[in-house]
Amino acid sequence: MKRLRFGLLVLGFSASLAQAADPGVAQRVEQLLARMTLEEKVGQLNQLSGKEFTGPATDKVRSMEAEIRGGHVGSMLNIKGVADTRRLQALALESRLKIPLLFGLDVIHGYQTVFPVPLGESASWDLAAIEESARIAAREASSAGIHWTFAPMVDVGRDPRWGRVMEGAGEDSYLGSRIAAARVRGFQGARLGGVESVMATAKHFAAYGAAIAGRDYNAVDMSEHQLHETYLPPFKAALDAGAATFMNAFNTLNGIPATGHAALQRDILKGAWGFKGFVVSDWGSVREMVVHGYAADLPDAAAKALVAGSDMDMESNAYSSALAAQVTAGKVPLAQVDDAVRRVLTKKFELGLFDDPYRFSDAAREQAALNDPRHRRAAREIAAMSIVLLKNEGAVLPLRRGLRSIAVIGPLADARRDLEGGWIVKSGADKMASLVDAVREAAGPGTRVQYAPGCDVACRTTEGFAAAVAAARGADAVVLAVGESWDMSGEAKSRADVTLPGRQGELFAALRAIGKTPVVVINAGRPLIFEDVAEQAPAIVYAWFAGTEGGRATADVLFGDVNPSAKLPMTFPRNPGQLPISYLQYETGRPVRDVKNIVYKSAYIDSPNTPRYAFGHGLSYTTFAYRDLRVSDARMRADGEITLSFTLANTGKRAGREVVQLYLRDPVASVVRPVKELKGFQLVALGAGETRQVSFTIDREMLSFFDRKLAWAAEPGAFELMVGSASDDIRLRQAIELTP
Ligand code: BGC
């Protein structure tokens, strides 16, 4: 099996060390703080954007340069590259105390080398690969003067109408937690202060992913249970992995804007969890508390945000314009301002910026990192690991080599920029291979590859269909590439209707009408709905927006040069009426046991309850058998652990990787528990015919839930363990008992 050839990883990061303060740094921070005026302190809490805006325009400050020189800016975002970061850093060094700037940027899925959008990459379930892509992004970004990325986004997302599911790790809290930690380790490396590391940001704290009706920025209303069990754990995991910063969120949570939410930021994050880094607001979110109706005006918003634990103000100009006066007026304790400044300065010291403010802005390193061919190779491998084979009836895939002709049809067949997805730093589309290019490369000179788009992504007319049908007519194989354009997913890209855009479905029907059975490739940043394709296409490959090498990686999967192993990190619905949707459900008192009998049952009368494709689903070109489940003991003591093991066999003819998934149910508890909850997974590579023993350790933590006293506890009694290949494909089960 192909493994990552490119090893940049430095593992062994200690979680406890991650949040421990260095006494030397603490002393230097105190000495500096003692010299600062209130105005200079507030300056450190002010973050401004460069000319590129990643949010709505705010009132611009008179002169950015003058503000920096005056010591009124602690951090900049949306400035990149050695030349620009050096220029602005030099201005900061002209300020009275010469405190260097922090440069932050949304390095979400790559800097120059673009990896799959985070949701797509999460489908790999390959933590080493995910860590690797973050490491490469950090290496490239840090060489270009960036100290800090606003990633990973660790918001749980269960509603594909919300365009930002693209930036996260999907619907599951456990998978999301593991991925959050991997991304933080990748961005930050072994320790902060390494010149190839950038600070990570766990965002958006908290519950932003649960926006009502999937509409971005919308209110969130959620129980304590849901918050603690589902939405907070990925943040905690990011923190335990050492995340240097957190970003709060645009949403209100049960009536309180996250930016002004003291219980979240002060009590949970900085209190119970002991977070030592700093919290940055989201873009303009301090100011937006006025719009929400939570603050009377900008000064009131500044006071409420700081008191609630928002340390740095991104682009609201609220702290810079009003915080000092609010302190003087007694509305904000100076001690809280000092605490915020301390947190920011600590990170600047830890990054080594006081020793050398330019250490990240190195032209030679920038050249080398941005042109490193290994990055692109890794991008291709990781992209191929992210592509999900949803369906493969009659083993239509992989495509045989040596076919006379292949028609590559569809609005995304020759796309390049779309393959990069949203939130990229700079497009490299001109140096990319589209799917058509990649199929040509892969098929070789003996195969004629014909291309016809049929329509553009919006697909409002069928004018181009005839040419597409003509191209497909004589071809030995037809590949149809449909889906979204890059700018249909992401921030402020909620869709009420997440079906294939425009008349794309009719293009598929037109090819079917001439007796073709196209292999369908779908590019998107979210789960889409494509019922006719799902029913009628023999093979479907979900290729997300797979990045710089997305075209080639897709061809690698189509031709079987890579055996797909990715599994869905989000449930794919059949229709929008099922949204939000997750495999993680609670049993009703009237569950559907027999689809033919739904009278007075918890059912839709016009749709099955089941999704089109379940969480954890994904096929391979080989097959796996699960056998001989054993537990070391069917009874587990409260302080003990047991081992569950089974045999996994590759029963097909090709080497492959299987993501084995462990689910759990607590059938009777003081709070109703989900029907199934992911508790573990392993990615197992097996040669054809090979078998392997796979084991999981079951411990008390795995059996715990957030109980009625709002604390984590495991209740004695029976539990059911389930092992399978997807959440709807459980192969082995075992009952165990937790004894008091
Ligand atoms: C987004 C953040 C992002 C910030 C800075 C905001 O609109 O919500 O995720 O980091 O802009 O670009």
Side-chain angles (χ1 to χ4, degrees), residues 310-470:
S310 260
D311 300 308
M312 185 182 277
D313 168 6
M314 179 195 286
E315 268 291 324
S316 281
N317 294 325
Y319 289 6
S320 60
S321 65
L323 191 57
Q326 293 292 73
V327 173
T328 315
K331 300 247 173 66
V332 176
L334 180 60
Q336 289 189 341
V337 173
D338 284 348
D339 176 65
V341 177
R342 225 175 248 127
R343 289 168 182 269
V344 172
L345 293 178
T346 300
K347 293 303 161 202
K348 293 187 176 182
F349 276 108
E350 285 174 4
L351 287 169
L353 295 179
F354 283 95
D355 305 316
D356 176 2
Y358 301 107
R359 62 196 297 259
F360 285 74
S361 307
D362 176 334
R365 202 159 66 78
E366 185 181 36
Q367 270 306 309
L370 301 190
N371 294 304
D372 191 332
R374 294 176 302 174
H375 295 185
R376 204 134 169 170
R377 282 206 297 274
R380 181 166 176 175
E381 290 177 17
I382 293 172
M385 292 174 187
S386 306
I387 293 172
V388 188
L389 180 63
L390 290 178
K391 182 176 178 188
N392 193 19
E393 243 169 43
V396 189
L397 287 177
L399 293 174
R400 270 191 307 113
R401 285 208 158 77
L403 294 176
R404 229 174 1 94
S405 62
I406 302 177
V408 187
I409 309 292
L412 284 141
D414 202 33
R416 293 178 185 76
R417 171 66 192 89
D418 289 318
L419 299 186
E420 294 177 308
W423 274 129
I424 58 164
V425 175
K426 182 173 171 289
S427 174
D430 52 335
K431 297 184 198 72
M432 282 169 58
S434 68
L435 181 61
V436 181
D437 301 332
V439 167
R440 272 202 187 103
E441 269 174 35
T447 304
R448 195 159 74 97
V449 176
Q450 270 183 290
Y451 158 65
C455 57
D456 61 9
V457 172
C459 205
R460 293 205 177 83
T461 86
T462 58
E463 273 162 32
F465 284 18
V469 167

Side-chain angles (χ1 to χ4, degrees), residues 291-316:
V291 189
H292 280 299
Y294 189 72
D297 49 24
L298 201 57
D300 190 30
K304 286 189 166 132
L306 194 287
V307 168
S310 260
D311 300 308
M312 185 182 277
D313 168 6
M314 179 195 286
E315 268 291 324
S316 281

